[in-house]
Amino acid sequence: MAVRFDQYMEIALYHPAGGYYRRPRMRVGTGPETDFYTASTSAPVFGDLVVAAATTLLGTRDPHDFRFVEIGAEPGCGILQGIEHPFSSYEVRAWGDTTEIDRCCVLFSNELFDAQPFRRFVKREAGWREVYVTLSSTGFLAEIEYVPPDASFLPPTSPPGYRIDASFAATDFAKVLVEQPWQGLFLAFDYGKSWETLVSDTPNGTARAYYRHTQSNDLLARPGEQDLTCHVCWDWLDAALGGSGFAPARLESQEAFFVKHAASRIEALMRADAAIASPRKRSLMQLLHPAHLGQKFEVLHAQRFHRQNCP
């Protein structure tokens, strides 16, 4: 028996009893028992900058007319917890919680879409093959390849051995969110690439595992105990937004996004800590510096407003 790689991921990450994201433990942070850190590790500075940027993007609209809805935050790690904000309310939705979103809101996520299951494809001499997971005769998990039911979207000229990791689930989840009857601002912080880059410049694919702050290519090790991820396809998320009535989306590096939309807040933080090497200033540099998170992460943002309901 074999299952498609995304089906294996669904079990390894989200099984109610033993899935990685279902286990009651800290995954995000800098401690030895955590597996990776993200921008949210730099709270409350990260939340402070997100608030400033969202307020700027809303323009003349009053932030108090909008709820701030965060999707997929780790337990106890919401980015606005403990900081002042101008929104009417702050709501945190758990992983997979697609309870109806309506009215006016800022819909925010941080590393949500890269955590969705993905399918894996590899080019062989005879054509594209899809990676499945099976139990070997020795009792270990192993990869096995089958002809995919549809390979028309995969480039026919890729060289043998070329790998593509494609998260259709990320796109499907985005559609579930943006097709709901809300209006306002969509903000997604994540790492991704264009489809053109994925099919031409990443010959080994983008999938990797994280365990105790160590990156690995052994995706079948420690099922339920390590994180599995790949780059999202920005083009697919952009198309999902456009198909649901959003204005053309913008994609910016995290550094450029904050510098452009939260410049006054950055200046205020730097001025307040000008004479000292404070934890807040270190967090700010971690978020903005190109060698750290500033260029590693990108921000996809778009707006959808109707004349009725939202001011």
Side-chain angles (χ1 to χ4, degrees), residues 24-96:
R25 55 172 288 250
M26 290 297 296
R27 289 167 283 271
V28 181
T30 57
E33 298 302 313
T34 60
D35 297 316
F36 55 91
Y37 66 88
T38 73
S40 62
T41 311
S42 298
V45 174
F46 181 53
D48 204 6
L49 295 186
V50 170
V51 167
T55 302
T56 298
L57 289 169
L58 289 175
T60 59
R61 296 178 174 87
D62 186 350
H64 190 70
D65 292 327
F66 295 80
R67 296 180 299 151
F68 190 99
V69 181
E70 182 174 0
I71 306 291
E74 287 285 298
C77 296
I79 67 161
L80 299 194
Q81 291 184 358
I83 70 171
E84 293 185 5
H85 63 79
F87 306 106
S88 62
S89 63
Y90 173 44
E91 180 180 340
V92 179
R93 299 283 183 89
W95 293 95

Side-chain angles (χ1 to χ4, degrees), residues 50 54 57 68 106-109 185-189 257 299-301:
V50 170
L57 289 169
F68 190 99
V106 174
L107 188 68
F108 167 85
S109 66
L185 175 63
F186 175 91
L187 276 179
F189 286 67
F257 177 80
V299 186
L300 185 70
H301 58 97

Side-chain angles (χ1 to χ4, degrees), residues 17 32 68 74 94 116 159 178-179 185 189 193 200 219 225 251 310:
F68 190 99
E74 287 285 298
Q116 306 306 311
V178 302
E179 289 175 355
L185 175 63
F189 286 67
K193 297 182 183 294
S200 61
L219 307 185
E225 297 180 5
L251 180 65
C310 256

Side-chain angles (χ1 to χ4, degrees), residues 280-300:
R280 186 165 60 178
K281 185 183 291 184
R282 288 195 296 271
S283 293
L284 186 61
M285 291 299 99
Q286 185 80 9
L287 291 169
L288 299 180
H289 199 286
H292 296 292
L293 302 181
Q295 290 294 323
K296 179 180 179 182
F297 288 92
E298 294 177 287
V299 186
L300 185 70

Side-chain angles (χ1 to χ4, degrees), residues 59-270:
T60 59
R61 296 178 174 87
D62 186 350
H64 190 70
D65 292 327
F66 295 80
R67 296 180 299 151
F68 190 99
V69 181
E70 182 174 0
I71 306 291
E74 287 285 298
C77 296
I79 67 161
L80 299 194
Q81 291 184 358
I83 70 171
E84 293 185 5
H85 63 79
F87 306 106
S88 62
S89 63
Y90 173 44
E91 180 180 340
V92 179
R93 299 283 183 89
W95 293 95
D97 183 355
T98 56
T99 305
E100 184 177 11
I101 304 169
D102 57 11
R103 294 175 291 166
C104 306
C105 70
V106 174
L107 188 68
F108 167 85
S109 66
N110 180 52
E111 291 199 70
L112 171 69
F113 296 105
D114 68 75
Q116 306 306 311
F118 54 85
R119 293 167 65 180
R120 309 201 71 199
F121 302 91
V122 57
K123 181 70 178 299
R124 300 303 184 195
E125 291 286 355
W128 284 97
R129 299 291 182 265
E130 183 164 7
V131 175
Y132 281 61
V133 178
T134 188
L135 193 64
S136 71
S137 59
T138 57
F140 292 96
L141 294 176
E143 291 187 353
I144 189 171
E145 297 171 9
Y146 293 100
V147 176
D150 179 17
S152 61
F153 69 96
L154 296 166
T157 57
S158 297
Y162 198 97
R163 289 182 175 267
I164 293 176
D165 300 306
S167 182
F168 300 105
T171 307
D172 292 341
F173 189 42
K175 289 179 180 178
V176 168
L177 295 174
V178 302
E179 289 175 355
Q180 297 194 51
W182 63 275
Q183 53 184 313
L185 175 63
F186 175 91
L187 276 179
F189 286 67
D190 228 309
Y191 45 83
K193 297 182 183 294
S194 68
W195 180 245
E196 181 179 359
T197 299
L198 291 172
V199 302
S200 61
D201 297 341
T202 57
N204 297 316
T206 63
R208 63 259 192 213
Y210 287 97
Y211 180 76
R212 300 295 188 266
H213 295 279
T214 299
Q215 181 178 317
S216 168
N217 294 323
D218 190 353
L219 307 185
L220 302 184
R222 307 183 187 90
E225 297 180 5
Q226 66 177 1
D227 188 27
L228 301 173
T229 183
C230 79
H231 279 67
V232 300
C233 179
W234 289 125
D235 299 331
W236 296 353
L237 296 189
D238 188 6
L241 290 165
S244 293
F246 281 78
R250 294 285 305 276
L251 180 65
E252 299 172 298
S253 69
Q254 181 170 289
E255 173 193 16
F257 177 80
F258 283 138
V259 168
K260 183 176 181 179
H261 304 294
S264 60
R265 188 56 187 154
I266 293 172
E267 182 181 356
L269 291 173
M270 293 294 289

